[in-house]
Amino acid sequence: MKVEFAPLNIQPARRLQTVAVLQWVLKYLLLGPMSIGITVMLITHNYSFLYIPYLMWLYFDWHTPERGGRRSSWIKNWTLWKHFKDYFPIHLIKTQDLDPSHNYIFGFHPHGIMAVGAFGNFSVNYSDFKYLFPGFTSYLHVLPLWFWCPVFQEYVMSVGLVSVSKKSVSYVVSKEGGGNISVIVLGGAKESLDAHPGKFTLFIRQQKGFVKIALTHGTSLVPVVSFGENELFKQTDNPEGSWIRTVQNKLQKIMGFALPLFHARGVFQYNFGLMPYRKAIHTVVGRPIPVRQTLNPTQEQIEELHQTYMEELRKLFEEHKGKYGIPEHTLVLK
């Protein structure tokens, strides 16, 4: 196979975009394990004057990710994130105005490999979110294990990420005065194993916890479809029943996160690497589904609202797929 190298006379703006995405990918993949490794090293070599104060701080700060986190406007406004957004580029599309006196739950689909559209639109401050949804603050919920990594959890919270636990989502949607949006990537880690270009497989049929929270707090649900999310990486073929998928499913159950075998392009060549392809992402925010508060919802009420959500999700996909080059009959709900 002939290697296709990146040209030398690339515009400086594109160079900056590549750097912005590269640092994000490296942080996504390496910073968590590195922070654990450094902590273990400090303990092993008995640097108690460093690790004891921090572990004490970690103990008292343990529940912050479930209480709205601790975001940093300075970090969320880094110019780096503008270059990150422009690399793909990432677009946010609104279909209907939302009432800033209410709180909402956004169900984000699909997860893709790294949920790039969710991060670019709802975490850092260079998307059109503030312009399209004035008066709102978004909270992107991620796996709790992201907050188990010393030091790394500080960075994760600084860009506006919070835990996806029931307690954390309930905290956001129960805040007085409205204007808060919980963004949940509903397919989770398992859905990343089906993130293949040209496919749109969503794990939603068994995901009902968010529906119960919405009913308990009377929070409107909003489906969100991110077109292009699955086009950013190629993944090793892993159909259900294959040995690769069997191992991936077992590891996912044990560790709580998935290990998709993916690749895309490199920094200086386009044939292989962990840098995502430059594919446009169009994240479409659908119409809100009104929810009447029911403090103790029955299973029947949960099922009914869940079915309504899936119908609205399918409608949103069908209405917009033609605009973004999605083939016919590609949506699969599992």
Side-chain angles (χ1 to χ4, degrees):
M1 181 178 63
K2 185 179 179 181
V3 177
E4 183 182 358
F5 290 98
L8 296 177
N9 59 339
I10 291 179
Q11 295 178 351
R14 288 177 69 86
R15 297 281 190 197
L16 290 172
Q17 292 165 12
T18 300
V19 170
V21 173
L22 176 63
Q23 64 82 29
W24 184 78
V25 170
L26 291 176
K27 288 175 183 175
Y28 188 99
L29 297 176
L30 300 178
L31 199 53
M34 284 177 60
S35 67
I36 294 176
I38 291 172
T39 303
V40 171
M41 183 188 70
L42 291 175
I43 295 174
T44 302
H45 290 81
N46 200 30
Y47 286 95
S48 57
F49 68 97
L50 289 176
Y51 73 78
I52 288 180
Y54 183 73
L55 291 180
M56 290 178 62
W57 160 256
L58 202 61
Y59 173 80
F60 289 107
D61 195 51
W62 190 253
H63 296 292
T64 299
E66 294 184 326
R67 296 170 181 165
R70 184 171 50 250
R71 57 187 60 204
S72 166
S73 296
W74 176 64
I75 293 177
K76 285 167 66 68
N77 284 313
W78 280 352
T79 307
L80 192 72
W81 302 125
K82 176 186 182 300
H83 299 302
F84 175 88
K85 171 201 167 189
D86 292 341
Y87 174 92
F88 300 96
I90 299 173
H91 305 279
L92 186 63
I93 297 96
K94 178 179 70 173
T95 60
Q96 187 170 319
D97 290 334
L98 300 182
D99 186 349
S101 67
H102 296 161
N103 295 325
Y104 295 86
I105 294 177
F106 280 14
F108 184 93
H109 312 271
H111 183 287
I113 297 295
M114 295 184 180
V116 173
F119 180 83
N121 280 311
F122 302 114
S123 182
V124 291
N125 288 345
Y126 278 95
S127 77
D128 291 330
F129 177 81
K130 289 296 183 184
Y131 169 74
L132 295 175
F133 301 100
F136 283 97
T137 300
S138 59
Y139 296 81
L140 179 56
H141 296 267
V142 298
L143 288 174
L145 62 86
W146 282 43
F147 304 98
W148 300 348
C149 305
V151 182
F152 181 59
Q153 74 144 0
E154 306 297 334
Y155 168 74
V156 168
M157 283 195 289
S158 72
V159 292
L161 306 185
V162 292
S163 172
V164 77
S165 68
K166 176 183 176 182
K167 184 177 180 180
S168 177
V169 178
S170 296
Y171 177 90
V172 173
V173 299
S174 63
K175 294 182 77 171
E176 296 292 334
N180 301 288
I181 298 175
S182 275
V183 183
I184 309 173
V185 186
L186 292 174
K190 190 173 183 180
E191 193 171 88
S192 68
L193 298 178
D194 275 312
H196 293 275
K199 296 184 178 180
F200 221 94
T201 302
L202 306 181
F203 283 83
I204 184 63
R205 294 192 182 277
Q206 302 304 317
Q207 307 292 80
K208 300 175 184 177
F210 75 103
V211 175
K212 186 174 182 179
I213 292 174
L215 283 166
T216 302
H217 295 280
T219 306
S220 296
L221 295 172
V222 182
V224 178
V225 176
S226 195
F227 295 96
E229 197 76 42
N230 286 347
E231 312 302 314
L232 304 181
F233 298 92
K234 293 178 180 177
Q235 185 174 176
T236 301
D237 195 30
N238 60 340
E240 291 286 356
S242 66
W243 71 268
I244 293 178
R245 187 58 168 267
T246 300
V247 172
Q248 288 174 323
N249 287 338
K250 287 183 178 179
L251 289 175
Q252 193 263 324
K253 289 179 180 178
I254 294 171
M255 300 184 298
F257 60 92
L259 292 173
L261 301 177
F262 65 91
H263 69 275
R265 52 159 289 187
V267 177
F268 301 109
Q269 48 75 33
Y270 299 142
N271 295 75
F272 188 84
L274 298 180
M275 286 283 291
Y277 294 116
R278 286 181 180 265
K279 301 282 188 179
I281 299 172
H282 294 87
T283 303
V284 184
V285 180
R287 295 177 291 271
I289 303 168
V291 178
R292 178 177 296 179
Q293 185 174 22
T294 308
L295 294 179
N296 296 294
T298 65
Q299 190 60 38
E300 183 179 357
Q301 290 171 318
I302 293 172
E303 294 289 348
E304 182 181 358
L305 180 56
H306 185 260
Q307 184 62 38
T308 300
Y309 180 85
M310 288 198 298
E311 290 171 0
E312 288 299 315
L313 173 61
R314 186 178 291 278
K315 286 180 186 177
L316 182 65
F317 175 84
E318 295 296 335
E319 286 175 11
H320 294 273
K321 68 179 183 181
K323 302 175 186 177
Y324 307 115
I326 302 298
E328 293 289 333
H329 311 299
T330 56
L331 180 63
V332 178
L333 303 182
K334 287 187 176 182

